[in-house]
Amino acid sequence: MSDEQFEQFKACAIEVLAVSADQVTMEARFGDDLDADSLDLVELVMKLEEVFDVTVDESELENIETVGQAYNLVISKK
Amino acid sequence: MPASTIPAPRGATISGWGTALPDTVVTNAHYEARLDTTDEWITERTGIRERRHGSSTAQLAIEAGRAALDMAGLTGDDIDLILLATTSPDYQIPSTASQVQEELGIRGGACDINAACSGFVYGLVQAHGLIAMGLNRVLLIGAETLSRLTDQEDRNTAILFGDGAGAVVLEATDDAGQLLAFDLGSDGSARKLLDAPIGGYMQMNGKEVFRRAVTVMVQSANTSLAATGISADELALVVPHQANIRIIEAACSRLNVDADRVATVLARTGNTSSASIPLALVDALDNGRVKKGDHVLLVGFGAGMSWASAVIRWTGHLPEVAS
């Protein structure tokens, strides 16, 4: 995991989910820890698609629960 | 109806407008008592606090249409055509516009347009086209009774949709008129994301609709803006389809348009599909948010998946409050 890429990811999460930097850890759960619902996750992925220049299918979001899962999904597309 | 010879190109302007909402207010507390949801959740997640249920698509259209005719100082005799945008007609046959025609005493043509939530902008563009071809006055209405098509036990859709209508009168002008550019589109391959079978209720893939809605609103708005040569900074007002405040915020932030330049009424109407853009436009007009010469962007998206945008330079009538 590149620090630079995770910092980019973190910046997106902070902006879209209105959370603080220390909340965005690999283990953080979108629902329980970041108070993000399914549409927040869609918005985050849209932002990540722009920033990382990747395309994520909606069906791939079904089982995403943690920051780490979302990060790995996006990075796997690079 | 004018003769069918096509005159030189000419424009149109909005000379009157009106709205109608049913009397019954359905608040979030109503759903709190019936579904596993809360007022706070609905308000935060959708921006909707209440919606109206009741009446019929025709009755709402007639009330809004009559108000628009009154403001324009016209009677039914003066209208060459009714275009009624609706995705919730009262009858499968005939058009809802036919009842509106009779009750408003209009002798011109009448038909419905179904482009779902993009319907009003589709109708606006068609009205301009028909006026360019020789009609003098068109009554354009967006009217819906979506509560009839919504399963009130379904938490995913019940809270979102409402009933209402908005109408404008468009009249021919000697100059190019108000419409500067438009963009109409559809992606039929995505039509299953939001649909209702005949006699059934709406179902929706909310996440995918959300994502596509934001994307196509921004694309369509940029297409129309590019055709006019004006930038988003120069818009006095954006009138987006009123589906969910989060879609509006996400799209407008991508267009670099602040909330103070966006017309919203969904907190008290919910999503009224074809009626949502005229309801929001009329609310902005009645509150003096549009001045002569202002650039206004209308942008909608909806089932189909359809989308539509138009940029107009306001040349029409303005109420006292704006002067």
Side-chain angles (χ1 to χ4, degrees):
Chain A
M1 168 173 118
S2 122
D3 284 352
E4 191 191 336
Q5 284 182 325
F6 191 69
E7 287 306 313
Q8 276 184 304
F9 181 100
K10 192 187 266 190
C12 294
I14 291 167
E15 181 190 329
V16 174
L17 306 179
V19 292
S20 60
D22 57 1
Q23 287 178 275
V24 188
T25 62
M26 289 292 273
E27 297 74 33
R29 303 179 74 81
F30 286 108
D32 297 339
D33 301 327
L34 303 180
D35 193 29
D37 69 359
S38 59
L39 291 189
D40 288 320
L41 195 53
V42 172
E43 273 195 81
L44 175 60
V45 168
M46 290 175 72
K47 183 73 185 177
L48 295 168
E49 286 179 326
E50 280 172 32
V51 169
F52 287 90
D53 192 25
V54 296
T55 303
V56 179
D57 198 71
E58 196 243 329
S59 61
E60 296 175 285
L61 299 179
E62 291 300 323
N63 300 314
I64 297 292
E65 290 178 356
T66 67
V67 165
Q69 288 170 339
Y71 177 74
N72 290 330
L73 175 65
V74 169
I75 295 305
S76 73
K77 304 278 181 182
K78 287 292 287 182
Chain B
M1 187 79 69
S4 58
T5 51
I6 298 175
R10 58 184 185 159
T13 192
I14 291 173
S15 62
W17 56 82
T19 61
L21 293 170
D23 293 332
T24 303
V25 177
V26 180
T27 63
N28 289 349
H30 169 91
Y31 293 108
E32 214 166 44
R34 287 164 180 78
L35 303 171
D36 178 22
T37 189
T38 65
D39 174 31
E40 185 189 3
W41 190 93
I42 298 171
T43 305
E44 273 184 18
R45 305 302 187 185
T46 70
I48 299 165
R49 294 178 182 279
E50 61 188 42
R51 66 292 286 151
R52 303 291 185 100
H53 285 183
S55 191
S56 68
T57 298
Q59 288 305 329
L60 293 167
I62 289 161
E63 188 182 335
R66 186 172 283 131
L69 289 177
D70 287 349
M71 179 185 271
L74 301 173
T75 68
D77 273 347
D78 301 313
I79 297 297
D80 298 323
L81 179 71
I82 305 170
L83 294 176
L84 174 53
T86 184
T87 197
S88 51
D90 294 327
Y91 288 85
Q92 195 166 328
I93 302 171
S95 72
T96 301
S98 62
Q99 186 180 345
V100 179
Q101 178 193 39
E102 187 208 357
E103 297 202 29
L104 291 180
I106 291 170
R107 284 183 290 195
C111 70
D112 291 357
I113 296 170
N114 181 357
C117 305
S118 312
F120 184 82
V121 180
Y122 265 78
L124 187 79
V125 172
Q126 292 179 43
H128 279 84
L130 290 160
I131 285 172
M133 288 198 289
L135 299 192
N136 290 318
R137 297 182 193 91
V138 175
L139 176 60
L140 169 64
I141 307 172
E144 305 282 1
T145 42
L146 294 172
S147 64
R148 289 184 297 112
L149 303 182
T150 309
D151 179 357
Q152 294 297 318
E153 306 294 315
D154 178 358
R155 193 176 63 155
N156 293 321
T157 54
I159 60 172
L160 299 175
F161 297 99
D163 306 336
V168 296
V169 174
L170 289 127
E171 298 196 52
T173 59
D174 295 332
D175 56 20
Q178 65 190 359
L179 181 65
L180 302 183
F182 65 89
D183 174 53
L184 305 179
S186 185
D187 176 4
S189 71
R191 68 191 185 279
K192 299 287 185 191
L193 293 175
L194 170 52
D195 63 9
I198 288 177
Y201 289 132
M202 270 187 282
Q203 66 77 32
M204 174 172 71
N205 177 339
K207 281 187 284 187
E208 191 58 21
V209 168
F210 181 99
R211 177 147 80 164
R212 284 170 181 265
V214 173
T215 304
V216 299
M217 281 174 82
V218 172
Q219 282 173 354
S220 185
N222 282 329
T223 299
S224 286
L225 285 169
T228 64
I230 69 166
S231 72
D233 289 346
E234 296 170 82
L235 293 170
L237 190 70
V238 174
V239 186
H241 169 50
Q242 313 279 306
N244 183 321
I245 195 68
R246 295 164 71 189
I247 293 176
I248 294 173
E249 286 172 354
C252 288
S253 103
R254 284 165 172 76
L255 290 169
N256 290 319
V257 172
D258 294 334
D260 63 357
R261 287 191 287 147
V262 181
T264 54
V265 293
L266 89 167
R268 58 189 172 82
T269 63
N271 180 348
T272 57
S273 193
S274 301
S276 91
I277 287 178
L279 282 167
L281 174 64
V282 168
D283 183 75
L285 290 167
D286 286 345
N287 285 294
R289 296 181 68 189
V290 180
K291 297 180 173 50
K292 201 168 176 92
D294 276 355
H295 291 113
V296 178
L297 168 70
L298 312 179
V299 57
F301 66 91
M305 302 287 294
S306 62
W307 61 86
S309 64
V311 178
I312 58 181
R313 180 167 51 223
W314 195 263
T315 56
H317 177 87
L318 286 170
E320 292 296 314
V321 66
S323 57

